[in-house]
Amino acid sequence: MPVAALLTLMAVGQFDPYVRSRVTAGDPSTQALYWTVPLVTWNLNREGNLVTPAETEFQAIRASFQSWQDIFTSCGNLSLQEGPLVDSREVGYLRGKTNHNLVLFRTQNCSELAQPTDPCWKAETCANQYDCWDDDDGTLAITLTTYDKRSGIIYDSDISFNASRYFFTAVDGPPCTSQGQGNCVANDVQNTATHEIGHFVGLDHTRVSGSTMFPSAPQGEVSKRTIDPGSRDFVCDVYPKGKPSQSDFHPAMDTLAGGPVGDKGCSATGATATSMGPALLAWAWLRRRRRAAEGRS
Ligand SMILES: [Zn+2]
């Protein structure tokens, strides 16, 4: 995409209290992404981060989901419920397989496991094939969402942490001041997960200072653990209590709550990946999008 066009897209709504994710990133003429089912189950991969006892980061991630659930309980219509720990490490919507809304840590980098000529790079399948982080080094975590391209209805959303590059911690403070320091906040699991769950439920980045959905996080930050008023309003507006979830225009013509199995007339499934990078590189990681290799065509 030409730089000018990209800058224009980035400028649209980037200081709004909240910004909805779109079928085409940053293009408000395309459908917003949202869940239409009343209950979304998410699953932790049982391995955790392999650095600390898995239960440490699991509790941090549960606290992040709970922060969102508290808002959904007060003014929303969606329940985010933890399912059992799972062995699966495959992200994306997997045709003909059991699909989990997965949260996992990638501890190895794909560049060390897959040859540069490996077809998995082009097909964007390295992460699943080699169980590795295949995205930019400057990205802390990524949420891969698979949705119906016409309606914006989300089918599947998976959160991956980049533990191949970043040291994740689950303590409250103080910020670490040097590498390898113990009992301090390096990259906070709960801070990161709270942001990524925002993507999971259909939020894009906003550059409003102090927002949970601000696109970057400096080391030591824990402030995104507390969900800001703009992101709270998103829940109340888009998932209103006692009412259907809101598409903001040209509502979906059919319901696809059962998922994209069988032909319900939708022509394609897209996937969007939204990432969160370190502060200095934040502008580069505002928004990423890619088609799911496993998507329908
Ligand atoms: Zn993000």
Side-chain angles (χ1 to χ4, degrees):
M1 186 182 297
V3 171
L6 184 65
L7 289 174
T8 304
L9 279 177
M10 285 165 60
V12 173
Q14 65 175 339
F15 288 100
D16 290 348
Y18 68 83
V19 179
R20 296 183 71 171
S21 290
R22 299 278 169 183
V23 165
T24 299
D27 180 354
S29 71
T30 63
Q31 190 60 267
L33 308 191
Y34 66 127
W35 294 93
T36 54
V37 291
L39 172 67
V40 176
T41 303
W42 54 274
N43 301 84
L44 290 159
N45 174 273
R46 71 173 73 252
E47 286 179 28
N49 189 16
L50 304 177
V51 175
T52 48
E55 197 58 30
T56 309
E57 52 264 17
F58 290 172
Q59 292 300 348
I61 292 163
R62 286 173 186 136
S64 298
F65 273 101
Q66 189 60 48
S67 296
W68 286 101
Q69 184 59 56
D70 288 346
I71 303 171
F72 278 107
T73 300
S74 77
C75 71
N77 64 14
L78 188 67
S79 290
L80 302 169
Q81 185 181 75
E82 184 180 3
L85 300 183
V86 294
D87 293 320
S88 171
R89 298 187 63 78
E90 289 189 80
V91 298
Y93 183 80
L94 313 164
R95 286 185 89 174
K97 293 191 183 179
T98 303
N99 279 279
H100 294 111
N101 298 304
L102 194 61
V103 183
L104 83 168
F105 290 79
R106 296 287 196 199
T107 56
Q108 293 183 285
N109 199 296
C110 294
S111 60
E112 289 157 19
L113 298 173
Q115 296 294 324
T117 53
D118 194 308
C120 75
W121 290 109
K122 193 155 186 256
E124 295 185 336
T125 55
C126 297
N128 283 345
Q129 195 174 333
Y130 294 99
D131 184 10
C132 54
W133 179 264
D134 69 347
D135 214 273
D136 302 291
D137 279 349
T139 301
L140 264 181
I142 196 158
T143 301
L144 177 64
T145 299
T146 305
Y147 54 87
D148 178 66
K149 200 174 178 183
R150 197 187 55 169
S151 66
I153 293 171
I154 299 172
Y155 302 132
D156 182 89
S157 196
D158 302 302
I159 297 171
S160 304
F161 286 78
N162 181 8
S164 76
R165 161 89 185 261
Y166 293 97
F167 186 65
F168 285 97
T169 56
V171 295
D172 295 333
C176 299
T177 51
S178 63
Q179 280 218 324
Q181 200 182 347
N183 206 26
C184 58
V185 182
N187 297 287
D188 183 55
V189 173
Q190 189 180 337
N191 194 67
T192 308
T194 308
H195 175 97
E196 295 302 321
I197 297 164
H199 293 316
F200 184 101
V201 296
L203 275 166
D204 200 346
H205 294 139
T206 175
R207 299 194 69 84
V208 171
S209 177
S211 174
T212 297
M213 300 313 296
F214 193 81
S216 64
Q219 179 169 302
E221 185 188 82
V222 294
S223 58
K224 288 186 177 66
R225 291 180 180 187
T226 305
I227 297 168
D228 63 287
S231 299
R232 172 180 286 270
D233 286 347
F234 162 81
V235 170
C236 309
D237 293 348
V238 173
Y239 298 97
K241 199 176 193 65
K243 294 182 190 161
S245 304
Q246 303 291 300
S247 63
D248 52 352
F249 58 91
H250 50 81
M253 297 305 287
D254 50 11
T255 57
L256 293 161
V261 179
D263 183 10
K264 291 266 181 86
C266 54
S267 59
T269 297
T272 182
T274 318
S275 54
M276 179 169 165
L280 289 174
L281 301 172
W283 69 270
W285 316 126
L286 269 172
R287 181 75 188 177
R288 303 189 68 253
R289 174 170 184 268
R290 57 188 179 189
R291 294 184 64 85
E294 63 275 17
R296 309 171 84 193
S297 57

